[in-house]
Amino acid sequence: MASVFGEKIKISVFGESHGEGIGVVIDGLPAGKAVDTEKVYAQMARRAPGKDKTATARRESDLPRVLSGMLGDRLTGAPLCAVIENTNTRSSDYGNLLSTPRPGHSDYAAFVKYKGGNDIRGGGHFSGRITAPIVFAGAVCRQILEEKGIKIAAHIQSIGSVQDEKFNPVNIEPELMDRLSASSFSLINPDVEQAMRDEVEQARLALDSVGGIIECAVTGVPAGYGEPMFDGVEGAIAKAVFGIPAVKGVEFGAGFESAALRGSQNNDPFRFSGGRVVTETNNCGGILGGITDGMPIIFRAAVKPTPSIGQKQKTVNLQTEQNAELEIKGRHDPCIVPRAVPVIEAAAAIALINILD
């Protein structure tokens, strides 16, 4: 499996949902940099399961144990390795999935590719549980980026039909970025939280699930970064974000809405402000020709509904080669969106630290 990302700072994720543990190895981090472990733990807690009715009831502390790469609170320059133990597994819930793959999940495709050798329990290496090491890596990278004046924050733009406000694409206040990146239910407008929770609860009671959209902003990135054609900033961020289970779409700036605009509407006029070039609008999402233009980087990720639902679904029996019905047991998120917010932020941090000097 190609569970490695990056060239300058290489992140390698390992483990499976119901194995002994999951973890990450990070190569290329600068020696001597201080890491605030409390800030790392805070990001891990935002993603951790079992704390909210919108999430799975599986409880995991998600406290990383650093095996190498840190001495005290400083990076040593050696590969940073962290392991997170799996302590609350119920593998028996997944016994029937060996022969009857879940619709909408990786079960069947992985069965074919790995000739039935893949670990099916909890989704194995394809589980959302594997995003915990990504958040650890992103939390470390984020602290290095913050020293360069770069902030990253995301929020729940929508769950089902319920919408939050969008970022002001030209001017995002640092206080808003700080509030969102510390929240476990990140919203620009907190007044829509209950409506979103009601949307999730309705799906849960119907033995169903619901998806949504996460919007992420990055501020403080100077103009001129990115390596077109195939290593542009959009491509680097999209590659990291698509590594997150359940992400099915990524757009930058005005994204697909720009297809309905004319050039006179979509183009972002330039002007000087405070001695630097800025744009009056930001339909390009802070990226032109794969290169940063100095404006906030804005992108959105579409998160599909959790495929593991309680309703009976049509599938096949791979052993008997007959059509079948599947009733999924176990503990699953009726909505993955709130817990995915810090994962999107972490993916952005991992991508950007490989782009910047």
Side-chain angles (χ1 to χ4, degrees):
M1 292 186 181
S3 300
V4 179
F5 180 89
E7 294 294 332
K8 290 195 295 187
I9 308 293
K10 185 175 292 186
I11 286 90
S12 177
V13 177
F14 63 87
E16 290 153 322
S17 180
H18 285 210
E20 292 296 314
I22 53 180
V24 63
V25 178
I26 312 172
D27 272 299
L29 292 171
K33 291 284 187 183
V35 175
D36 187 331
T37 53
E38 290 304 317
K39 288 184 177 180
V40 173
Y41 296 157
Q43 293 302 318
M44 301 294 292
R46 293 174 68 206
R47 194 222 69 93
K51 298 178 180 179
D52 195 291
K53 283 187 72 174
T54 62
T56 172
R58 176 178 176 177
R59 286 186 173 271
E60 296 281 4
S61 64
D62 279 2
L63 285 177
R65 182 162 60 96
V66 174
L67 303 185
S68 67
M70 281 186 68
L71 185 61
D73 64 349
R74 293 192 175 272
L75 299 172
T76 66
L80 177 61
C81 178
V83 173
I84 303 163
E85 292 183 0
N86 291 326
T87 60
N88 189 7
T89 59
R90 291 200 326 216
S91 299
S92 59
D93 290 339
Y94 297 87
N96 62 332
L97 303 183
L98 289 169
S99 56
T100 50
R102 287 169 287 184
H105 208 285
S106 63
D107 297 346
Y108 172 68
F111 174 86
V112 174
K113 181 172 181 62
Y114 300 107
K115 300 176 174 58
N118 56 300
D119 187 348
I120 203 72
R121 301 169 303 166
H125 194 68
F126 298 91
S127 169
R129 176 116 187 90
I130 306 303
T131 60
I134 295 174
V135 172
F136 174 87
V140 173
C141 293
R142 180 198 293 244
Q143 292 187 35
I144 297 172
L145 292 171
E146 285 176 347
E147 292 182 1
K148 302 175 183 288
I150 296 167
K151 287 182 176 290
I152 302 172
H155 71 107
I156 306 166
Q157 183 185 309
S158 68
I159 288 180
S161 61
V162 184
Q163 301 279 332
D164 187 18
E165 299 173 16
K166 289 184 179 181
F167 281 117
N168 178 333
V170 175
N171 183 29
I172 306 174
E173 295 295 332
E175 294 79 11
L176 175 62
M177 300 284 282
D178 291 339
R179 176 172 70 81
L180 292 176
S181 62
S183 174
S184 59
F185 203 100
S186 301
L187 293 168
I188 294 176
N189 178 10
D191 292 341
V192 302
E193 178 174 347
Q194 190 56 53
M196 286 187 174
R197 290 185 175 278
D198 291 344
E199 189 92 349
V200 176
E201 182 65 4
Q202 290 169 15
R204 187 184 73 83
L205 292 175
L207 303 181
D208 214 333
S209 61
V210 63
I213 297 172
I214 295 170
E215 184 180 45
C216 185
V218 185
T219 60
V221 179
Y225 285 94
E227 295 294 335
M229 293 177 50
F230 299 112
D231 287 320
V233 177
E234 292 116 324
I237 292 175
K239 182 177 180 180
V241 172
F242 274 124
I244 300 169
V247 170
K248 296 301 291 183
V250 177
E251 67 173 7
F252 291 82
F256 283 95
E257 290 182 5
S258 64
L261 302 177
R262 294 192 173 186
S264 57
Q265 298 170 307
N266 187 63
N267 293 344
D268 301 309
F270 291 110
R271 64 181 175 86
F272 276 102
S273 176
R276 73 183 188 96
V277 175
V278 298
T279 57
E280 293 182 357
T281 54
N282 191 15
N283 290 318
C284 70
I287 305 165
L288 290 166
I291 305 168
T292 58
D293 69 0
M295 297 299 288
I297 296 172
I298 307 282
F299 70 91
R300 284 169 291 279
V303 180
K304 71 178 183 180
T306 315
S308 295
I309 60 176
Q311 294 183 19
K312 286 186 178 180
Q313 299 181 80
K314 293 180 180 180
T315 186
V316 294
N317 188 306
L318 298 173
Q319 305 301 320
T320 64
E321 298 187 353
Q322 299 292 318
N323 294 330
E325 279 194 336
L326 174 65
E327 191 168 354
I328 299 171
K329 301 177 183 178
R331 301 162 293 178
H332 306 283
D333 297 77
C335 181
I336 202 70
V337 177
R339 292 177 58 213
V341 170
V343 189
I344 296 291
E345 294 173 357
I350 291 167
L352 287 167
I353 203 167
N354 274 283
I355 292 170
L356 302 176
D357 293 334

